[in-house]
Amino acid sequence: MSGKPGHKRGDPHESPSKGPWRIGAWLTTRSVAREVFLLQLVLVVLLVAAAVVAIVVQAQRDTLTDARHRTVAAAEAFAHAPGLVQALESDFPTIVLQPLAEGARQAAGIDALIVYELDGITLTHSDPTQLGKHVIGPYAEAAAGRTFTRTFQGALGLSVVSAAPVRNAEGEVVAIVSAAVTVEKVRDSVDQQLPVFIGSAGVALGLVAIGTGLVSRRLRRQTHGLGPAEMTRMYEHHDAVLHAVREGVLITGRDQRLLLANDEARRLLDLPGDAEGRRVTDLGIDASLASLLTSDRIATDEVHLAADRLLALNKRATLPLGGQQGSVVTLRDTTELRSLSGRAEVARERLTLLYDAGVRIGTTLDVVRTAEELAEVAVPRFADAVTVELLDPVLGGGEPAGASTELRRTAVAGLTEDHPLYPSGELIRFVPGTPVETSVSEGRSVVVSDLASSPGWRAQDEERARRILRYGIRSLAVVPLRARGVVLGVANFWRSDASTPFSDEDLSFAEELASRAAVSIDNARRYTREHAMAVTLQRSLMPRGFPDDEALDVASRYLPAESGVGGDWFDVIPLPGARVALVVGDVVGHGLHAAATMGRLRIAVHNFSALDLSPDDLIGHLDELVALIDVQDDSAEDGGEMITGATCLCVVYDSVSGEVTVATAGHLPPAVVRPDGSVEYLASPVYPPLGLGAGMPVETTRTTLPEGSRLVLYTDGLLEDRSRDLDASLDAFREALSGADRTPEETCAAVIDTMLPAGSSDDVALLVARVRRMEPDRVAEWDVPRDPAAVSPVRNACARKLAEWGLEDIAFGTELILSELITNAVRYGIEPIQVRLLHSTSLICEVSDGSSTSPHIRRASDTDEGGRGLFLVAQYAEKWGTRYSPRGKTIWAAQAIGPGAGPDLDQLGEDDILSQWDDVEL
């Protein structure tokens, strides 16, 4: 004892700092745990000691047995060894046999291998002093031709000896071989194993002692350190108190069986006499009460109905104070509180329904789905059926113009397929005086307790009203869906004959439920409006189709993000000289700002492409433009949003040479699928995203593609996956692209199915273009010396080529264009000068020279002899322009081909041409 007042033996909350005191007190206390521990410990010590003795005896026996087997095997093996008989018949057998016997003895691991003649003279022995002496031992059996094993005292001491006869070719015994192992060696072997046995026994004893201690500790916790007498007294007190109190007590186990029930619990629940030990669900009590008793839920003063009694119930788990997992339940008879409890239960259910409505209504930003969630949450806990009607502008995201009696049924719940109410999706015009019209016009709720006696409700559709009554619907509550002072629609709550009619108290709850749903519907409406605006803007900014071009066969995919439209975009832009620009970009974010930014960048790319800029120049100018836009937006008084991140990839393909030029600003590299199906990425030198370049030079990558290759441009939404990194996504993308003989459309389908089987959280833009080469016979080139006399031969050669192509109808205009362009190059340009004709969907005339000066149309005065040549070029050509390169410039002019192509200038005179010139603004 500690000597301190109030101290109790076995107190589970005792301070750990008094560990030694606790052990001493436990050892001196007569507790059930202590007695069990000591008894188990004694039994374990006896068992371990007996086990050690048995193991030692068994080890000795096994060692002797092994010695017998080894000596017999060694004796017989040496007795039957080849050459033994010849050695015995030799003049000096000992000299021959002694080393052989020693080798065999050492190999067999025995103490002696002796060969002696029938007269007992020793020929071999492990002790050389015994050679030539008479052997000691009973070897008559061996001399008679039988092998035997004995333990006896010999020259080596007490030994296990086996003897085997040696027979000659006639089968006669001519000598005896004996093998011996001393008993002392056998004992040494056992003694060597004895520490292992004792150590193992000690470890086993320690482990068992620890296990016994843990069991005793567990038992001490279960019995709280009490002794047998104390436990008996406690049980008697417990039994007396349990059956004397006027409160029902039930204890259930983990397996949902009733472990204990006092007299009061048996009376209140009318339990059978053999209730203890049976499952709770088999006792015939109320289902809700049985469900609570078998669950893990904790209950405090819950009211349950049991037959004609109203019981207040408390439930707690027996752990950690109990000995096993279960629950204890107390019951009090509170029948007089039944009425109050019913009202409280209804209020509790209503609060629970409001909570569920807050969780379940408005999970999406979809107007129709939000209306359906309102209908679903109210059925069947508040109404037997619910219908929701909304104004048409609300469904489209618009603002309601005012109260209207035309509403569209949006949601229906709780009805069978053959119900007589208006179906979902139908536009209903409610007549004046009906509950819905009154609710919408006056903005208040309406309750019709008995539909059969309501002439206003029946006035909507007399025949349909009769069918609704036959269907079993008897009561209606109409509540307007109002948000920000505007009526968006109505919610109709219907009850059948089996339910009580709606009351004013029900109406208050319906209004609270409808007001919460109206806020969610209004949010969804506003989102729908903004989403529609963003989609409309984006669709107006995205390309509606691709231009017809002989150089490329193009297919594309654009998948908007689940959360709305974003800033991914792509474009295919024809360029002069049978070239095509493929552009793809990505603006960070979603919504109107991202879509508007995308449109600004796309228009800028078109404008820069009209200047026939190279990809690196285009990216550089686009970078400067984005930086300028950010500065302007940042300094704007309204605090406009900046372009927080935008990338762009520009690829220019030349169908004449098959060369591809790639420049990128922070975008993923394009992929190339070769005609054999292999895939590679055209990695370009790194350049920051748009607006962050700060004047850094843009570098390009150039390569030549074989005809039939596929160029694949994409945005990062195609690769984003939380389950894998970017490298793994690129590998998966490569695998999806691989494969020969695929069209661009098939490639797009395969990529989307592989990379995005379940959709994407980000925008995805994919552009696939299969490249084609211009036929060599549709390209003509001439080198022109810088000599005015060279103009005429080149012009004549071009005329012959046009005739070869069947383009005689535009030959006159082409000769004029070439004459002007070649003359300007010879007169003002620098060598080398080159002329090229390209016959594709139009005829393109190109004249290149090494200078960087560009001609332009100007107004020539009446006295000027020149200055009108480019005017003629502009009149005969559909388009013309200048393209710069590292080697100089190229002036090109494109002419339409086909019947009626080009302006009909043959019928015009000089005055007519000059009059057209007067209308040109420069």
Side-chain angles (χ1 to χ4, degrees):
M1 292 298 180
S2 65
K4 295 184 180 181
H7 176 77
K8 292 185 179 181
R9 179 179 55 196
D11 186 358
H13 304 291
E14 187 176 358
S15 174
S17 63
K18 300 180 181 180
W21 182 91
R22 292 179 61 190
I23 296 175
W26 179 76
L27 291 175
T28 58
T29 302
R30 284 194 60 197
S31 65
V32 175
R34 175 177 173 273
E35 292 179 1
V36 171
F37 175 77
L38 294 177
L39 179 60
Q40 287 181 334
L41 190 60
V42 171
L43 290 175
V44 168
V45 170
L46 293 176
L47 289 174
V48 171
V52 170
V53 172
I55 290 174
V56 170
V57 172
Q58 184 64 36
Q60 288 181 344
R61 181 178 300 171
D62 293 342
T63 306
L64 287 173
T65 302
D66 179 67
R68 294 188 183 96
H69 292 165
R70 284 193 291 123
T71 54
V72 169
E76 289 189 345
F78 199 78
H80 294 87
L84 179 60
V85 176
Q86 288 81 357
L88 291 172
E89 294 175 354
S90 65
D91 295 336
F92 301 100
T94 297
I95 296 175
V96 177
L97 295 177
Q98 179 65 16
L100 298 176
E102 281 301 301
R105 177 186 69 79
Q106 294 176 0
I110 57 179
D111 293 324
L113 187 62
I114 306 170
V115 181
Y116 53 89
E117 297 177 341
L118 294 180
D119 55 3
I121 299 301
T122 301
L123 299 180
T124 66
H125 202 285
S126 57
D127 184 3
T129 61
Q130 299 296 322
L131 296 175
K133 297 181 179 181
H134 283 275
V135 70
I136 301 174
Y139 298 111
E141 291 184 39
R146 294 190 299 275
T147 301
F148 71 91
T149 301
R150 296 285 188 278
T151 301
F152 62 89
Q153 189 74 29
L156 300 177
L158 186 60
S159 305
V160 177
V161 179
S162 296
V166 179
R167 300 177 184 273
N168 58 14
E170 289 78 15
E172 298 174 351
V173 178
V174 297
I176 298 173
V177 177
S178 67
V181 174
T182 62
V183 174
E184 182 180 358
K185 185 174 182 180
V186 173
R187 291 173 179 170
D188 290 342
S189 176
V190 175
D191 292 342
Q192 291 175 1
Q193 300 180 42
L194 190 58
V196 178
F197 297 153
I198 296 176
S200 300
V203 172
L205 181 61
L207 293 176
V208 172
I210 294 173
T212 304
L214 294 176
V215 172
S216 299
R217 181 181 178 185
R218 176 65 177 172
L219 183 60
R220 180 169 62 87
R221 290 183 177 179
Q222 295 290 334
T223 60
H224 300 284
L226 300 176
E230 293 172 319
M231 293 183 63
T232 301
R233 185 169 60 254
M234 179 177 288
Y235 173 76
E236 292 172 350
H237 293 169
H238 162 269
D239 190 62
V241 172
L242 185 66
H243 293 285
V245 297
R246 299 304 298 169
E247 187 169 293
V249 179
L250 298 174
I251 298 179
T252 59
R254 185 176 183 178
D255 56 355
Q256 301 178 359
R257 294 183 182 274
L258 183 64
L259 301 180
L260 183 145
N262 68 348
D263 297 339
E264 184 67 7
R266 292 178 182 273
R267 184 185 69 83
L268 294 177
L269 298 178
D270 194 20
L271 298 177
D274 59 345
E276 293 181 353
R278 295 173 59 182
R279 291 188 177 274
V280 174
T281 54
D282 298 336
L283 300 179
I285 60 179
D286 184 74
S288 62
L289 180 58
S291 175
L292 174 60
L293 295 179
T294 56
S295 69
D296 295 332
R297 184 167 63 86
I298 302 300
T300 301
D301 290 334
E302 287 191 9
V303 180
H304 289 265
L305 185 65
D308 58 345
R309 296 185 178 90
L310 201 62
L311 303 179
L313 181 146
N314 290 274
K315 179 184 175 184
R316 295 291 185 273
T318 57
L319 292 180
L321 299 178
Q324 60 180 345
Q325 185 175 357
S327 60
V328 58
V329 179
T330 60
L331 306 167
R332 296 195 312 274
D333 191 355
T334 57
T335 306
E336 65 277 6
L337 301 177
R338 176 179 301 177
S339 176
L340 180 61
S341 174
R343 296 176 61 187
E345 179 65 19
V346 171
R348 185 184 67 82
E349 291 179 355
R350 295 287 171 83
L351 289 175
T352 302
L353 181 56
L354 286 177
Y355 173 79
D356 293 343
V359 174
R360 295 175 54 185
I361 298 177
T363 58
T364 65
L365 290 173
D366 182 82
V367 175
V368 175
R369 181 55 192 156
T370 305
E372 292 174 348
E373 289 170 344
L374 168 61
E376 292 168 358
V377 78
V379 176
R381 291 190 287 176
F382 178 69
D384 296 319
V386 176
T387 59
V388 179
E389 290 84 46
L390 298 176
L391 297 171
D392 262 354
V394 174
L395 294 172
E399 193 80 28
S404 173
T405 58
E406 285 189 355
L407 294 95
R408 189 173 299 277
R409 179 147 292 174
T410 309
V412 177
L415 298 172
T416 59
E417 294 183 357
D418 59 345
H419 67 85
L421 276 70
Y422 290 108
S424 179
E426 183 168 341
L427 183 64
I428 309 171
R429 181 187 295 274
F430 291 95
V431 301
T434 59
V436 174
E437 189 275 336
T438 302
S439 179
V440 173
S441 301
E442 302 180 10
R444 64 180 179 88
S445 301
V446 178
V447 172
V448 181
S449 300
D450 185 10
L451 293 176
S453 60
S454 173
W457 173 76
R458 300 171 68 95
Q460 175 68 32
D461 188 334
E462 187 69 30
E463 175 59 28
R464 188 181 296 273
R466 286 195 293 268
R467 286 190 286 128
I468 292 175
L469 293 174
R470 287 197 300 269
Y471 189 75
I473 295 177
R474 288 293 181 270
S475 181
L476 168 65
V478 182
V479 182
L481 298 172
R482 181 185 300 134
R484 296 181 297 108
V486 177
V487 175
L488 307 177
V490 294
N492 300 317
F493 301 92
W494 309 80
R495 283 184 179 175
S496 62
D497 294 334
S499 302
T500 59
F502 286 106
S503 63
D504 292 338
E505 184 178 352
D506 294 327
L507 191 62
S508 299
F509 173 78
E511 289 174 345
E512 177 66 22
L513 186 64
S515 66
R516 297 191 179 193
V519 173
S520 298
I521 291 175
D522 187 56
N523 290 337
R525 177 194 64 80
R526 297 170 68 181
Y527 171 79
T528 301
R529 180 185 61 189
E530 294 182 2
H531 181 74
M533 293 172 59
V535 169
T536 302
L537 175 61
Q538 186 188 45
R539 288 179 177 175
S540 66
L541 297 176
M542 291 289 285
R544 301 294 180 87
F546 299 117
D548 294 332
D549 197 289
E550 294 183 348
L552 298 176
D553 180 12
V554 183
S556 65
R557 291 289 188 277
Y558 175 76
L559 303 179
E562 297 176 355
S563 59
V565 297
D568 290 14
W569 58 281
F570 57 86
D571 219 331
V572 179
I573 306 172
L575 299 176
R579 296 174 302 128
V580 181
L582 304 174
V583 187
V584 66
D586 185 3
V587 177
V588 175
H590 298 90
L592 288 174
H593 177 67
T597 302
M598 176 270 291
R600 296 165 78 179
L601 294 180
R602 181 169 177 258
I603 292 173
V605 169
H606 270 271
N607 291 336
F608 291 142
S609 298
L611 299 176
D612 206 356
L613 298 178
S614 61
D616 51 342
D617 288 338
L618 187 148
I619 294 294
H621 286 293
L622 202 61
D623 179 70
E624 294 175 359
L625 176 64
V626 171
L628 178 61
I629 292 174
D630 282 343
V631 172
Q632 293 174 347
D633 291 344
D634 187 37
S635 61
E637 294 182 358
D638 59 354
E641 294 186 57
M642 298 175 60
I643 303 177
T644 57
T647 64
C648 183
L649 171 67
C650 181
V651 179
V652 174
Y653 172 67
D654 188 340
S655 63
V656 177
S657 62
E659 184 181 66
V660 170
T661 306
V662 180
T664 179
H667 203 86
L668 293 169
V672 173
V673 185
R674 303 284 180 177
D676 60 358
S678 61
V679 181
E680 65 175 325
Y681 292 103
L682 296 181
S684 298
V686 177
Y687 188 80
L690 297 177
L692 304 177
M696 294 175 58
V698 183
E699 300 183 48
T700 60
T701 297
R702 297 175 183 271
T703 187
T704 301
L705 300 181
E707 186 171 7
S709 298
R710 282 166 283 164
L711 273 169
V712 183
L713 285 70
Y714 53 94
T715 56
D716 58 0
L718 188 66
L719 305 180
E720 288 182 353
D721 192 333
R722 294 181 179 179
S723 63
R724 60 192 178 195
D725 57 19
L726 179 60
D727 291 338
S729 296
L730 287 172
D731 292 340
F733 186 42
R734 185 196 304 271
E735 184 67 24
L737 289 174
S738 62
D741 299 330
R742 277 186 183 175
T743 65
E745 187 66 31
E746 292 171 344
T747 303
C748 288
V751 168
I752 296 300
D753 292 343
T754 302
M755 303 298 296
L756 302 173
S760 173
S761 59
D762 194 6
D763 289 12
V764 174
L766 176 64
L767 184 64
V768 180
R770 182 165 56 188
V771 301
R772 291 192 285 261
R773 289 280 191 92
M774 182 175 287
E775 297 295 336
D777 58 356
R778 303 180 72 178
V779 179
E781 294 181 339
W782 296 271
D783 292 327
V784 182
R786 193 177 180 187
D787 182 1
V791 176
S792 178
V794 173
R795 185 176 61 241
N796 295 333
C798 291
R800 290 192 296 271
K801 179 57 69 174
L802 292 177
E804 180 182 335
W805 287 341
L807 302 178
E808 296 89 345
D809 52 342
I810 63 171
F812 178 73
T814 303
E815 291 183 25
L816 287 178
I817 292 173
L818 289 175
S819 295
E820 176 60 27
L821 297 182
I822 297 173
T823 301
N824 283 343
V826 170
R827 188 175 292 177
Y828 307 110
I830 301 175
E831 290 183 327
I833 302 173
Q834 189 179 53
V835 175
R836 185 170 72 164
L837 295 181
L838 303 177
H839 180 201
S840 59
T841 55
S842 62
L843 179 65
I844 301 173
C845 304
E846 296 182 347
V847 178
S848 305
D849 67 82
S851 68
S852 58
T853 59
S854 176
H856 60 279
I857 295 179
R858 64 181 179 86
R859 183 182 297 275
S861 63
D862 295 339
T863 59
D864 290 341
E865 296 182 359
R868 299 180 178 85
L870 287 181
F871 170 72
L872 293 177
V873 172
Q875 293 298 317
Y876 276 96
E878 281 188 319
K879 294 181 293 184
W880 75 278
T882 303
R883 178 172 71 249
Y884 294 94
S885 67
R887 296 175 297 178
K889 69 175 184 299
T890 299
I891 303 176
W892 58 269
Q895 293 177 270
I897 59 177
D904 188 10
L905 298 182
D906 293 337
Q907 304 298 326
L908 297 178
E910 181 179 354
D911 293 337
D912 297 324
I913 295 176
L914 292 179
S915 65
Q916 293 187 29
W917 165 254
D918 292 336
D919 295 333
V920 177
E921 295 184 1
L922 303 177

